[in-house]
Amino acid sequence: MNLKSLLLAAGLALATLGASAQDKVVYHFDNAATQGLKGLRNIRNQLDTEPTTQIIAVAHAEGIDLLMEDAKSPNGTEYAPLISALRARGVLFEVCEITLKNRGLKKDAFIQEADFTLSGVVRITKLQAQGYSYLKP
Protein backbone atom coordinates (compact mmCIF):
# COMPACT_ATOMS: atom_id res chain seq x y z
CA MET A 1 0.00 0.00 0.00
CA ASN A 2 1.51 3.34 -0.98
CA LEU A 3 1.49 6.44 1.19
CA LYS A 4 -1.39 8.06 -0.72
CA SER A 5 -3.62 5.00 -0.20
CA LEU A 6 -2.64 4.80 3.45
CA LEU A 7 -3.54 8.47 4.02
CA LEU A 8 -6.83 8.04 2.19
CA ALA A 9 -7.73 5.00 4.34
CA ALA A 10 -6.80 6.89 7.52
CA GLY A 11 -8.91 9.87 6.45
CA LEU A 12 -11.92 7.66 5.76
CA ALA A 13 -11.52 5.96 9.14
CA LEU A 14 -11.42 9.33 10.91
CA ALA A 15 -14.47 10.56 9.00
CA THR A 16 -16.40 7.44 9.98
CA LEU A 17 -15.37 7.89 13.61
CA GLY A 18 -16.48 11.53 13.53
CA ALA A 19 -19.82 10.64 11.98
CA SER A 20 -20.63 8.24 14.82
CA ALA A 21 -19.34 10.49 17.59
CA GLN A 22 -22.78 11.68 18.68
CA ASP A 23 -24.70 8.99 20.54
CA LYS A 24 -28.45 8.68 19.99
CA VAL A 25 -30.62 6.96 22.57
CA VAL A 26 -34.32 6.23 22.98
CA TYR A 27 -35.51 5.64 26.54
CA HIS A 28 -38.69 3.54 26.77
CA PHE A 29 -41.08 4.25 29.66
CA ASP A 30 -44.14 2.04 30.15
CA ASN A 31 -44.51 2.33 33.94
CA ALA A 32 -43.89 5.69 35.59
CA ALA A 33 -44.07 4.33 39.15
CA THR A 34 -41.24 1.85 38.69
CA GLN A 35 -39.20 3.56 35.96
CA GLY A 36 -39.76 7.30 36.45
CA LEU A 37 -37.07 8.49 38.83
CA LYS A 38 -34.58 5.82 37.79
CA GLY A 39 -35.01 6.65 34.11
CA LEU A 40 -34.78 10.42 34.60
CA ARG A 41 -31.65 9.91 36.72
CA ASN A 42 -30.16 7.67 34.00
CA ILE A 43 -30.83 10.34 31.37
CA ARG A 44 -29.24 13.03 33.54
CA ASN A 45 -26.19 10.84 34.22
CA GLN A 46 -25.80 10.07 30.52
CA LEU A 47 -25.87 13.77 29.63
CA ASP A 48 -23.45 14.59 32.45
CA THR A 49 -21.00 12.09 30.96
CA GLU A 50 -21.78 12.60 27.24
CA PRO A 51 -23.43 16.04 26.88
CA THR A 52 -23.89 15.76 23.11
CA THR A 53 -26.05 12.64 23.31
CA GLN A 54 -29.36 12.97 21.47
CA ILE A 55 -32.06 11.53 23.74
CA ILE A 56 -35.74 10.90 23.10
CA ALA A 57 -37.90 9.48 25.89
CA VAL A 58 -41.00 7.70 24.61
CA ALA A 59 -43.84 6.87 27.00
CA HIS A 60 -46.87 4.64 26.55
CA ALA A 61 -49.22 2.64 28.80
CA GLU A 62 -48.66 3.64 32.45
CA GLY A 63 -45.42 5.35 31.42
CA ILE A 64 -47.35 8.41 30.24
CA ASP A 65 -48.20 9.19 33.88
CA LEU A 66 -44.65 10.51 34.14
CA LEU A 67 -45.59 13.45 31.90
CA MET A 68 -48.96 14.35 33.37
CA GLU A 69 -49.57 17.61 35.23
CA ASP A 70 -48.78 17.28 38.96
CA ALA A 71 -47.32 13.78 38.50
CA LYS A 72 -45.25 12.47 41.39
CA SER A 73 -43.16 9.40 42.05
CA PRO A 74 -44.28 6.94 44.75
CA ASN A 75 -41.98 8.76 47.22
CA GLY A 76 -43.61 12.13 46.42
CA THR A 77 -40.94 13.61 44.15
CA GLU A 78 -42.46 15.80 41.43
CA TYR A 79 -41.44 14.75 37.95
CA ALA A 80 -42.08 18.08 36.18
CA PRO A 81 -39.01 19.99 37.45
CA LEU A 82 -36.73 17.06 36.59
CA ILE A 83 -38.24 16.78 33.11
CA SER A 84 -38.03 20.54 32.57
CA ALA A 85 -34.31 20.51 33.43
CA LEU A 86 -33.70 17.64 30.99
CA ARG A 87 -35.76 19.32 28.27
CA ALA A 88 -33.53 22.40 28.69
CA ARG A 89 -30.61 20.08 27.89
CA GLY A 90 -32.25 18.94 24.65
CA VAL A 91 -34.10 15.79 25.72
CA LEU A 92 -37.41 15.20 23.95
CA PHE A 93 -40.33 13.57 25.77
CA GLU A 94 -43.06 11.94 23.69
CA VAL A 95 -46.46 10.56 24.74
CA CYS A 96 -48.28 7.81 22.85
CA GLU A 97 -51.59 9.04 21.43
CA ILE A 98 -53.01 5.49 21.31
CA THR A 99 -52.62 5.35 25.09
CA LEU A 100 -54.36 8.73 25.39
CA LYS A 101 -57.31 7.41 23.41
CA ASN A 102 -57.46 4.12 25.32
CA ARG A 103 -57.37 5.92 28.67
CA GLY A 104 -59.72 8.74 27.64
CA LEU A 105 -57.14 11.46 28.29
CA LYS A 106 -56.67 14.82 26.58
CA LYS A 107 -53.38 16.44 25.60
CA ASP A 108 -53.98 19.34 28.00
CA ALA A 109 -53.56 16.90 30.94
CA PHE A 110 -49.81 16.87 30.24
CA ILE A 111 -46.94 19.20 31.09
CA GLN A 112 -45.83 21.65 28.41
CA GLU A 113 -42.59 19.73 27.80
CA ALA A 114 -44.54 16.75 26.45
CA ASP A 115 -44.74 16.14 22.73
CA PHE A 116 -47.02 13.53 21.18
CA THR A 117 -46.52 10.63 18.81
CA LEU A 118 -49.19 8.52 17.13
CA SER A 119 -47.86 5.24 18.55
CA GLY A 120 -45.18 4.86 21.19
CA VAL A 121 -44.03 1.41 20.10
CA VAL A 122 -43.94 2.39 16.42
CA ARG A 123 -41.90 5.49 17.32
CA ILE A 124 -39.41 3.39 19.29
CA THR A 125 -39.09 0.96 16.38
CA LYS A 126 -38.48 3.78 13.89
CA LEU A 127 -35.89 5.42 16.16
CA GLN A 128 -34.00 2.14 16.49
CA ALA A 129 -34.01 1.80 12.69
CA GLN A 130 -32.45 5.30 12.58
CA GLY A 131 -29.58 4.15 14.79
CA TYR A 132 -30.88 5.03 18.25
CA SER A 133 -29.78 2.71 21.03
CA TYR A 134 -32.66 1.33 23.10
CA LEU A 135 -32.70 1.70 26.89
CA LYS A 136 -35.48 0.75 29.27
CA PRO A 137 -34.93 1.83 32.87
Side-chain angles (χ1 to χ4, degrees):
M1 183 182 268
N2 64 31
L3 182 59
K4 186 176 180 181
S5 297
L6 184 61
L7 290 174
L8 180 60
L12 288 173
L14 286 174
T16 301
L17 180 62
S20 65
Q22 184 176 32
D23 294 327
K24 300 184 300 184
V25 181
V26 57
Y27 278 80
H28 175 194
F29 290 89
D30 64 5
N31 187 313
T34 60
Q35 299 167 325
L37 287 179
K38 175 174 56 171
L40 295 174
R41 187 178 330 110
N42 289 347
I43 292 170
R44 184 197 65 219
N45 291 344
Q46 183 158 6
L47 288 173
D48 287 349
T49 305
E50 291 291 335
T52 62
T53 305
Q54 271 187 313
I55 298 176
I56 300 175
V58 179
H60 72 99
E62 289 82 25
I64 71 168
D65 297 348
L66 178 73
L67 296 161
M68 295 183 77
E69 288 285 347
D70 302 319
K72 295 180 183 177
S73 72
N75 74 5
T77 302
E78 291 184 29
Y79 292 127
L82 304 173
I83 292 167
S84 181
L86 291 171
R87 181 65 185 228
R89 296 177 74 178
V91 178
L92 300 179
F93 292 88
E94 299 182 2
V95 174
C96 172
E97 291 182 5
I98 292 173
T99 301
L100 293 183
K101 180 181 172 190
N102 291 341
R103 291 180 54 183
L105 298 170
K106 302 284 185 206
K107 290 181 179 180
D108 61 4
F110 294 86
I111 59 176
Q112 68 181 5
E113 290 81 6
D115 293 319
F116 298 89
T117 187
L118 293 176
S119 168
V121 294
V122 170
R123 178 71 166 140
I124 291 167
T125 302
K126 289 186 181 291
L127 288 169
Q128 286 182 281
Q130 294 171 22
Y132 279 74
S133 298
Y134 172 87
L135 289 175
K136 186 171 184 177

